[in-house]
Amino acid sequence: MLNPNTNNEAKFTEYWEQKLLPQIVDILGANIQGTYSINVRRGDGPDQRVIDLMTQGNCAKKYSDVLEAAKNELLPEEFSSKTQFDFRSGKCAYCVDDTDSQTSSQVDYSAHYLGGNPHHYKTPVMGDSAGSRSNDGSATLGPLLQIGEKF
């Protein structure tokens, strides 16, 4: 039997990837000097989510009203009311040099959080953090496979 939250998660992911994330990138790209990191994770309660924004000097917090307005405009109320921002100060670095033409087509360019993996879940689901507690890296669970009636 399918988890009743699966459809909700798929809907949120669609809004996140197609609407809100591109808008956050536009807002930060136009206003932030240097690198930044954007991550979405589960919150403490059911269906709650937290959008982590990490910049040097925590400068993304200056734009919290603009970001909050974008969230409220682009997400349906069922998601917007249960999604919050968490502003962090830190340093982002890329794991590879994207100017190397031999590796550029094979590389994940997402920023890496240098402070280690601060979050974990006792009962993880697809997309949750599954990285180490050291500074060696971070990862998420996935993909989810269905074979017959089992996941």
Side-chain angles (χ1 to χ4, degrees):
M1 182 168 139
L2 282 176
N3 181 339
N5 291 330
T6 302
N7 191 34
N8 220 15
E9 291 298 323
K11 271 177 63 178
F12 176 82
T13 300
E14 183 178 334
Y15 278 101
W16 168 251
E17 291 184 358
Q18 295 180 9
K19 296 181 183 277
L20 186 54
L21 180 57
Q23 185 64 35
I24 292 172
V25 168
D26 287 347
I27 292 167
L28 295 181
N31 295 291
I32 303 295
Q33 295 294 319
T35 59
Y36 54 86
S37 173
I38 305 169
N39 183 49
V40 65
R41 60 181 166 86
R42 286 195 298 174
D44 294 333
D47 295 326
Q48 291 184 336
R49 294 168 187 87
V50 178
I51 300 169
D52 292 313
L53 299 178
M54 186 175 63
T55 58
Q56 290 181 343
N58 207 7
C59 54
K61 192 168 188 167
K62 296 176 193 174
Y63 304 98
S64 61
D65 291 341
V66 174
L67 293 162
E68 191 71 28
K71 178 194 75 156
N72 292 335
E73 177 185 332
L74 297 171
L75 294 181
E77 171 64 24
E78 67 185 289
F79 298 133
S80 180
S81 63
K82 294 182 177 184
T83 304
Q84 66 182 35
F85 287 98
D86 187 7
F87 299 94
R88 299 167 181 251
S89 178
K91 181 178 179 184
C92 301
Y94 292 97
C95 297
V96 297
D97 179 3
D98 66 353
T99 60
D100 182 356
S101 62
Q102 292 181 341
T103 60
S104 62
S105 64
Q106 305 167 2
V107 175
D108 177 8
Y109 292 101
S110 58
H112 179 271
Y113 174 56
L114 296 179
N117 183 1
H119 304 287
H120 70 281
Y121 301 99
K122 291 181 182 176
T123 55
V125 296
M126 292 304 110
D128 281 347
S129 179
S132 71
R133 293 179 188 218
S134 71
N135 289 337
D136 294 337
S138 178
T140 56
L141 285 178
L144 177 63
L145 300 177
Q146 180 179 2
I147 299 174
E149 297 294 318
K150 295 183 179 182
F151 291 90

